[in-house]
Amino acid sequence: MVTLSELQRSSVERGEPSRRTTISAAIHQSGLYGRVARRKPLHSKRHMAARLEFAKKHLKDSQTMRKKILWSDETKIELFGVNARHHVWRKPGTTHHQANTIPTVKHGGGSIMLWGCFSAAGTGRLVRIKGKMTAAMYRDILDENLLHSALELILGRRFIFQQDNDPKHTAKISKEWLQDNSVNVLEWPSQSPDLNLWRDLKMAVHRRFPSNLMELERCCKEEWAKLAKDRCAKLVASYSKRLEAVIAANGASTKF
């Protein structure tokens, strides 16, 4: 991550001053180019070892087994939160006409938190989380939605539930509910490469330009239900490649 200016100063200090263009050309000749560094979660050696062990253990899982997994996650969706360009056909001088603009407000206009689940067979329930979620609220979400989702997706009683290691998920009250309802839980190391449909949902929702939080919630639920089953199936089928990337990175974080 050393800069060209730092390399140039170093060359002067060594008594071999070089121009920036010369240094840059030498670097390019070596096959190196300046790029923006990707942000990746910081992992301890223990977390990396756990991720690597998990990837090796589950790499050979059959697609039949993966089709029985009910994946879950939470996300925040902002009312005007997708930073994407939208194109519009307009006449000269109509740049600021209401029909040709996208509404925005300061600080995003508010947001909602959602919990959702899906499997290779399609999307399950999607629930809005009111206020700051507690372990008790999470237990209630599971109680009201998890088994119903598994039933609606025809996963059978022996389905496998995936959740991350958020403290609310691993709290005693949550674990007891899962045990009492005989739910098989997939062990999940920190920062493992997950599968999620949130990007798909957010793009679909913001194409509809909801104007308030009630509309945002309604659009989220409607678009979640419309997400294609084959998209869910392809996402689950891609999991082997994600695990292979973890193994290739020796347990380090990967981005998909």
Side-chain angles (χ1 to χ4, degrees):
M1 294 187 181
V2 65
T3 66
L4 278 177
S5 295
E6 289 170 336
L7 287 172
Q8 187 179 32
R9 285 197 298 271
S10 177
S11 71
V12 172
E13 292 169 358
R14 292 198 313 270
E16 301 174 352
S18 300
R19 297 169 59 185
R20 285 168 57 95
T21 53
T22 302
I23 297 172
S24 179
I27 291 173
H28 291 169
Q29 199 170 26
S30 298
L32 300 176
Y33 298 89
R35 297 290 185 266
V36 176
R38 296 288 184 92
R39 294 184 177 274
K40 297 172 69 172
L42 180 64
H43 292 298
S44 66
K45 289 184 178 180
R46 178 172 58 85
H47 286 156
M48 291 175 63
R51 282 166 49 85
L52 184 60
E53 181 183 358
F54 175 86
K56 289 180 176 179
K57 178 180 178 181
H58 292 284
L59 180 61
K60 300 301 182 182
D61 287 347
S62 67
Q63 283 301 320
T64 300
M65 178 268 192
R66 288 184 185 148
K67 287 179 180 178
K68 296 182 71 65
I69 298 177
L70 187 60
W71 305 85
S72 73
D73 199 9
E74 294 100 37
T75 194
K76 179 174 77 171
I77 297 188
E78 295 182 351
L79 186 56
F80 302 114
V82 172
N83 295 320
R85 290 185 176 184
H86 297 273
H87 294 83
V88 60
W89 294 105
R90 61 175 176 79
K91 295 180 180 179
T94 63
T95 302
H96 298 289
H97 287 195
Q98 186 173 357
N100 299 330
T101 62
I102 298 172
T104 62
V105 296
K106 195 173 183 180
H107 307 306
S111 61
I112 61 175
M113 285 293 298
L114 299 170
W115 174 92
C117 62
F118 77 97
S119 77
T123 54
R125 300 281 180 94
L126 185 74
V127 182
R128 180 177 177 181
I129 301 167
K130 300 288 183 69
K132 186 176 181 179
M133 188 162 72
T134 64
M137 290 171 64
Y138 182 65
R139 185 271 318 273
D140 291 343
I141 287 175
L142 297 180
D143 190 49
E144 296 168 10
N145 299 280
L146 185 61
L147 299 182
H148 291 290
S149 293
L151 182 64
E152 291 163 1
L153 293 169
I154 318 177
L155 298 182
R157 281 294 301 156
R158 301 301 298 171
F159 75 93
I160 302 166
F161 179 51
Q162 180 275 332
Q163 60 178 0
D164 63 29
N165 288 322
D166 184 287
K168 295 177 286 293
H169 301 171
T170 57
K172 181 180 179 181
I173 191 172
S174 303
K175 286 184 175 180
E176 287 179 346
W177 186 92
L178 292 166
Q179 291 170 358
D180 291 346
N181 287 274
S182 303
V183 175
N184 298 309
V185 180
L186 181 66
E187 79 277 15
W188 200 249
S190 297
Q191 297 294 341
S192 288
D194 58 354
L195 302 179
N196 73 74
L197 290 171
W198 295 133
R199 182 66 180 173
D200 302 60
L201 176 65
K202 290 175 182 179
M203 295 303 294
V205 166
H206 287 287
R207 280 195 290 267
R208 296 177 57 173
F209 304 113
S211 60
N212 56 59
L213 296 183
M214 287 185 63
E215 280 189 22
L216 178 60
E217 180 181 359
R218 177 174 56 80
C219 290
C220 284
K221 291 182 176 179
E222 290 175 358
E223 294 299 330
W224 182 255
K226 291 193 297 185
L227 288 175
K229 292 182 179 179
D230 65 341
R231 168 61 177 150
C232 298
K234 288 178 181 177
L235 203 55
V236 173
S238 74
Y239 200 58
S240 289
K241 291 183 179 179
R242 297 164 189 262
L243 295 179
E244 287 171 356
V246 171
I247 294 171
N250 202 34
S253 180
T254 52
K255 182 177 179 64
F256 299 92

